[in-house]
Amino acid sequence: MQNKRDEEMATVTEISSKKKKKREAMHPFNILFIVILFMALLTYFVPAGEYERITNDAGQTVVVDGSYTQIDSNPAGFLSVFQAIHKGMVQSAPIIFFIFIVGGAFHVFRDTKAIEGAFASLSAKTKGKEMLMIPIVMLFFGVAGASIGMFEEAFPFVMIMVPLAIVLGYDSMVGLAMVLIGVSAGFTAAFMNPFTVGVAQGLAELPLFSGMLPRIGFWLVYMAAAIIFVMLYARKVKKDPKKSIVYEEDQARGIDRSGMNMEKITKRQVAVLGILGLTLIVLAYSVIEYKWYIGEISALFIIMAIVMGLVYGMGFNRITKSFVKGCEEMATGALIVGLAYAAVVILQESFIIDTILYGISGLISSIPAGLSAGAMFITQALLNIAVSSGSGQAALSMPIMVPLSDLIGVSRQTAVLAFQMGDGITNMFSPTSGLLFAALAMAGIPIIKWFKWVWPLILVQAILSLVFVTIAHFFIWTV
């Protein structure tokens, strides 16, 4: 009898173990390694080729339309696949260390408990109005993305919004979405982004930021869709926190959600929040006025962490330990960025990016004129997977797409719109986007859960993009 019971228990344990293994998601390193292998496999089937490149009057290196030639194939070998990982790490080192520094700096900030203290003091005034924060924050980042081309510069704000969203009764996905989806939607439907619209219009020989009024209309619809999507999810989580897609991850964060029962904010915490506000003002002003980038922003956050820690009375040893702890939490996400870049290294060293562009442009030229504008959008979205830089993609594709648009009866303004929409939308799901993985690392959200959550919005935005490009082609910028 006892043996039979033991056998039953063993069977139950085995079934439970199997279910647990089945539920375990694939590690993001493994997912990206599969992407790297796929890119390497492509090099054996896609012939190598290249366009001639020249430097134009604006100092931009651009391709010469009609200059494509095939060259000797250079498929990725066994060892080069693994060398690409090291090269990807080296190429993305500025972003990797940026993630470490931001993670360390904001861990010092989190250790001051300033957000929880502020929420405890303001809870009575803000109760019932928490939802208003979502459209306000998203519109701020949407305007920044659409006007000054802010994208990765917004990522440090993730470290602020994630714990704040959790304390307010939402989850880390809402905190991330307010920043990432807000700035991404603005960047995609931009009306005067100098890095996408500005560069593309310059290459298309169009007046700088011309066609702004229709773009503002597209931006308003795009932002409205993004805000509604995030607010609907936030409301669901607010009613029942267990419906959060990142419920388990948020439970493990150790963030005090009971701000109502905490002591009110101290003078030292007020000073810490003042330092944070001053840091963000300096950041915004310097990015616009002095064109600060990752190096300068990293230095600013190191200074912020030191000053915050000292003002709070932490002492240098405690500041250092907190900073290192924050870096440790960022390790997986930071290294993911290098793996994402490794996939691009494979394509670059095998010289198949130009071949892909040449093949797609030939395909577009054979499509009926009414569908060509939409096909341009799809082309640019796919191309962004290989070339994640907006200005780099413009320099590669627009010298080919501009004469092609003239040939098939699509206006140059529409070609620019197709480019910016295609370039922007892919930033939220591209497996080679180091910047996407950087944001996910800062938020502590698994890649798979992000894709699972965001795909309905991506589908809606893709449909909107196709509609906008089609409307522009038939009714606004007709040829």
Side-chain angles (χ1 to χ4, degrees):
M1 186 74 175
Q2 181 65 37
N3 289 340
K4 185 177 180 181
R5 192 172 298 167
D6 290 343
E7 287 177 6
E8 289 175 352
M9 288 295 293
T11 303
V12 171
T13 303
E14 186 178 351
I15 293 171
S16 177
S17 177
K18 285 181 179 178
K19 285 183 177 178
K20 188 176 181 181
K21 287 181 180 178
K22 188 176 180 180
R23 286 196 301 267
E24 186 177 357
M26 185 181 293
H27 194 282
F29 281 19
N30 297 332
I31 295 171
L32 284 173
F33 189 66
I34 292 172
V35 173
I36 292 169
L37 292 177
F38 176 74
M39 297 299 184
L41 188 64
L42 276 182
T43 65
Y44 287 88
F45 296 96
V46 179
E50 61 181 356
Y51 286 96
E52 291 181 21
R53 284 167 168 78
I54 60 171
T55 302
N56 62 16
D57 295 336
Q60 300 160 333
T61 301
V62 297
V63 301
V64 178
D65 184 41
S67 65
Y68 174 81
T69 56
Q70 284 195 17
I71 60 175
D72 293 337
S73 293
N74 185 36
F78 176 78
L79 187 60
S80 62
V81 170
F82 296 92
Q83 286 178 312
I85 295 174
H86 174 260
K87 291 177 181 178
M89 296 286 182
V90 172
Q91 283 190 16
S92 60
I95 297 176
I96 290 174
F97 286 100
F98 176 65
I99 294 170
F100 279 129
I101 289 169
V102 172
F106 277 94
H107 195 276
V108 175
F109 171 66
R110 278 163 46 198
D111 276 354
T112 67
K113 303 292 183 183
I115 286 182
E116 290 90 335
F119 179 73
S121 297
L122 298 173
S123 57
K125 296 178 182 178
T126 59
K127 189 174 182 181
K129 301 176 183 177
E130 299 92 346
M131 191 68 74
L132 291 176
M133 179 181 68
I134 295 174
I136 292 171
V137 172
M138 291 185 70
L139 283 171
F140 169 78
F141 286 110
V143 170
S147 58
I148 63 172
M150 177 184 280
F151 195 77
E152 57 266 42
E153 295 87 353
F155 290 176
F157 291 89
V158 171
M159 306 294 287
I160 302 170
M161 298 312 301
V162 165
L164 181 60
I166 293 172
V167 170
L168 290 175
Y170 302 119
D171 65 1
S172 55
M173 189 67 81
V174 174
L176 171 65
M178 283 190 284
V179 180
L180 181 55
I181 290 182
V183 77
S184 180
F187 191 93
T188 302
F191 42 81
M192 54 183 294
N193 182 340
F195 305 111
T196 54
V197 178
V199 172
Q201 286 185 330
L203 294 170
E205 299 178 342
L206 293 168
L208 190 62
F209 303 136
S210 55
M212 186 182 294
L213 191 59
R215 285 189 172 85
I216 290 175
F218 297 151
W219 177 84
L220 287 170
V221 176
Y222 221 77
M223 287 301 304
I227 290 169
I228 291 169
F229 178 81
V230 176
M231 289 182 73
L232 288 174
Y233 172 77
R235 187 173 64 179
K236 180 177 73 173
V237 172
K238 186 80 170 177
K239 287 182 178 178
D240 184 0
K242 290 186 178 180
K243 289 185 177 179
S244 165
I245 193 171
V246 287
Y247 180 76
E248 293 178 1
E249 288 79 4
D250 287 353
Q251 290 297 306
R253 290 176 189 272
I255 296 175
D256 194 334
R257 297 163 181 264
S258 56
M260 298 282 192
N261 302 320
M262 289 178 56
E263 294 182 6
K264 289 188 177 182
I265 193 167
T266 65
K267 290 182 180 179
R268 287 181 182 266
Q269 288 173 331
V270 171
V272 166
L273 290 173
I275 294 165
L276 175 65
L278 180 61
T279 301
L280 298 180
I281 291 170
V282 172
L283 170 63
Y285 178 78
S286 299
V287 166
I288 297 170
E289 187 69 22
Y290 302 114
K291 310 302 179 187
W292 274 19
Y293 195 52
I294 286 175
E296 296 85 354
I297 296 172
S298 297
L300 178 65
F301 283 116
I302 291 172
I303 295 169
M304 181 196 78
I306 295 171
V307 176
M308 277 182 175
L310 293 176
V311 167
Y312 192 67
M314 294 174 71
F316 283 108
N317 273 351
R318 189 178 164 195
I319 292 171
T320 303
K321 288 178 181 178
S322 179
F323 188 92
V324 171
K325 180 68 175 175
C327 292
E328 289 174 0
E329 292 176 359
M330 294 290 109
T332 299
L335 295 176
I336 283 173
V337 175
L339 284 173
Y341 271 74
V344 179
V345 168
I346 294 285
L347 296 178
Q348 290 173 340
E349 294 191 344
S350 61
F351 297 98
I352 67 172
I353 293 177
D354 286 7
T355 302
I356 293 171
L357 177 60
Y358 175 75
I360 293 175
S361 61
L363 184 63
I364 292 175
S365 64
S366 64
I367 292 175
L371 302 175
S372 296
M376 282 185 170
F377 159 71
I378 295 170
T379 297
Q380 295 288 5
L382 294 173
L383 189 60
N384 187 246
I385 296 175
V387 186
S388 57
S389 163
S391 55
Q393 183 177 337
L396 174 65
S397 65
M398 292 310 293
I400 296 168
M401 291 298 171
V402 168
L404 180 62
S405 66
D406 293 340
L407 181 67
I408 61 179
V410 174
S411 77
R412 294 188 177 192
Q413 286 284 17
T414 303
V416 170
L417 182 67
F419 155 72
Q420 69 174 92
M421 291 284 181
D423 165 71
I425 195 170
T426 322
N427 289 327
M428 287 202 297
F429 67 89
S430 171
T432 60
S433 174
L435 296 174
L436 168 62
F437 293 123
L440 294 176
M442 292 176 183
I445 292 176
I447 300 169
I448 296 297
K449 289 196 173 182
W450 166 256
F451 289 155
K452 182 179 179 181
W453 180 80
V454 81
W455 77 261
L457 177 62
I458 293 172
L459 181 61
V460 169
Q461 291 187 335
I463 293 171
L464 285 175
S465 297
L466 283 169
V467 170
F468 294 159
V469 170
T470 304
I471 290 173
H473 174 57
F474 283 108
F475 303 107
I476 302 176
W477 297 308
T478 56
V479 177

